[in-house]
Amino acid sequence: MSFFTALSGLQASQTDMATISHNLANVSTTGFKKSRTEFADVIASSVATDPRKMVGSGVVVKGNTQQFSNGNFQTTSNALDLAIVGEGFFVMKSTGISDSVQYTRNGAFSVDSNRNVVDAQGSYLMVYPVDNDGNVTATGNDGLTNLQIQQTSGTPKATNKVVTAIQLSATSTVKDPAATPPPAAFKRSDTTTYTNSVATRVYDANGNPSQMTNYYVRTKGATAAVPASAGPPAVAAQPATTGTWDVYTYVGDQQMTVNGANKVTIQFDDKGAIMNQTAPIAFDQFVPTSGAAAQNISLNLANSTQLSSAFAVNNKSQDGVPVGQLSGVTVTDAGLIQASFSNGDIVPLGKVALAKFSTPTGLRQIGNSYWAATGVSGSASLGSASADGFGALMSGTIENSNVDITEELVNLIAAQRNFQANAKALDTASQVSQTIFNIRS
């Protein structure tokens, strides 16, 4: 009998050491939860047995109980790295044929080639759909959906109107075509052939950006006398300068025309006010090089001036709307995932779904930091972070293993001592048996 009693102790100690070794092996596994081997003594008795003379029959392993205390938290630079502070599990849906649901504490997520948020195994992170205000629009198992990060936001609008208010300098050099020798013809790649330039970003019908550049060439200039002002003290007469300018316009590498002409002429009076372009300049229709629909653009220069001071751009605007490109993702403590875009849009994408169980120690470990529900654990209760007893979420953080190396090494030493003690008991029983075999009559 003592052989089997010692054997049960050896087997129990081996199980304990195997459990501790498994814990130590996963000390760096994100979201891993350690286990603890629990034992019970084995007693065989009957109603007629004197309780003072009962001898046990060894030990049995009652179970490996998982410990769901929080591990240490580690900060990262990825907003999609999530950690649960408190109770709860992330709900993951596999991408295989089974389409099964698992639960995990490993919140190290990334984006796959289809813009789905997935874990290292490629399983989808499940969320609740939300409206534009971030309110959940569906709940329960049937309401879950995989989280997908959209790349763009907004409806594009082609640029039709460009408004530019510039201040041209009356002291600029005149490039008079009638001069001898005449100045070099305008060439956009040669800065000596134009006086000033102004660039404005415009958009086609698909929201693609391009650069609209206006080149200003002063072709005429004249000085007129302004009469002295009346009344003391008298102000002496001052020269005032008129001016004529040619305007060349390009959108990207395409030159804009007005009724077939490749330039527009604007004039300023001796007070610096524009004379002949109070209405917008309507360019001929053109097809953008991006292949978008044909486009009409007008240029409004009505508030432009010519003064003796330096060149300046006083106002510049256009009415096109681009498509917003994804610029960042944020996750709130309540699990609301929002995407921000280059056009200023902030779009709620979903709310992280969390699961909890009445008896989490009854969950079945299935590897890859996944758990599956069992009859012992009960079915999953779904909800959102920071509500109904669920833990809060921390973005840019992952939960490390809750294994304490020092504690596990001490437990390993104790398990080894237990194994050695039971081995010694087995050896002693063997020696006693051998002694009995050697007894001679």
Side-chain angles (χ1 to χ4, degrees), residues 80 82 110-112 114-118 124-128 145-150 329 331 335 337-338 348-352:
L80 289 176
L82 305 177
S110 59
V111 181
D112 67 8
N114 295 319
R115 313 301 301 169
N116 295 303
V117 176
V118 297
Y124 298 136
L125 173 65
M126 305 305 290
V127 299
Y128 288 121
T145 182
N146 59 296
L147 175 62
Q148 192 170 45
I149 306 294
Q150 63 189 63
V329 176
V331 184
I337 301 174
Q338 298 172 304
L349 303 178
K351 199 167 189 179
V352 177

Side-chain angles (χ1 to χ4, degrees), residues 26-34 66-74 82-84 88-90 103-108 365 368-371 397-403:
N26 287 278
V27 69
S28 297
T29 301
T30 303
F32 176 79
K33 299 303 175 185
K34 65 181 180 181
Q66 299 173 77
Q67 310 296 303
F68 284 96
S69 58
N70 276 118
N72 294 325
F73 295 107
Q74 178 182 341
L82 305 177
I84 304 172
F89 296 82
F90 297 109
Y103 308 94
T104 185
R105 294 280 296 196
N106 185 351
Q365 292 177 296
N368 292 322
S369 298
Y370 288 154
W371 285 271
T397 306
I398 57 175
E399 182 188 4
N400 291 326
S401 164
N402 65 351
V403 176

Side-chain angles (χ1 to χ4, degrees), residues 167-371:
Q167 178 180 292
L168 296 169
S169 177
T171 61
S172 299
T173 302
V174 176
K175 302 180 187 295
D176 189 353
T180 305
F186 168 76
K187 188 176 182 181
R188 63 184 302 211
S189 60
D190 185 356
T191 58
T192 63
T193 62
Y194 57 89
T195 310
N196 303 107
S197 64
V198 177
T200 305
R201 176 167 288 189
V202 296
Y203 302 93
D204 63 20
N206 296 329
N208 299 312
S210 57
Q211 202 84 329
M212 177 179 178
T213 308
N214 301 312
Y215 299 91
Y216 299 89
V217 183
R218 192 180 189 198
T219 58
K220 292 182 182 179
T223 303
V226 179
S229 62
V235 179
Q238 300 290 329
T241 305
T242 62
T244 302
W245 299 71
D246 286 343
V247 183
Y248 299 85
T249 300
Y250 284 78
V251 174
D253 292 328
Q254 286 185 275
Q255 186 170 19
M256 298 293 98
T257 60
V258 178
N259 298 323
N262 63 1
K263 66 179 180 179
V264 174
T265 299
I266 59 175
Q267 297 176 323
F268 295 89
D269 62 20
D270 57 5
K271 296 182 176 60
I274 197 167
M275 297 171 57
N276 65 329
Q277 287 298 339
T278 55
I281 301 168
F283 296 106
D284 297 333
Q285 189 179 72
F286 70 101
V287 177
T289 56
S290 63
Q295 190 171 351
N296 293 295
I297 288 183
S298 66
L299 174 63
N300 190 338
L301 296 172
N303 293 320
S304 298
T305 58
Q306 177 188 273
L307 303 174
S308 59
S309 52
F311 171 79
V313 178
N314 297 324
N315 181 41
K316 186 172 64 173
S317 63
Q318 59 85 39
D319 64 347
V321 178
V323 173
Q325 299 297 320
L326 179 67
S327 59
V329 176
T330 58
V331 184
T332 67
D333 292 347
L336 179 63
I337 301 174
Q338 298 172 304
S340 55
F341 297 86
S342 57
N343 61 355
D345 288 349
I346 298 177
V347 180
L349 303 178
K351 199 167 189 179
V352 177
L354 296 183
K356 67 178 181 180
F357 300 86
S358 58
T359 311
T361 55
L363 291 170
R364 176 181 291 111
Q365 292 177 296
I366 56 177
N368 292 322
S369 298
Y370 288 154
W371 285 271

Side-chain angles (χ1 to χ4, degrees), residues 10 18 45 79 99 121 141 145 149 152 183 189 239 273 311 343 362 375 428:
L10 288 173
S45 65
D99 208 29
Q121 285 70 48
N141 291 321
T145 182
I149 306 294
T152 60
S189 60
F311 171 79
N343 61 355
T428 301

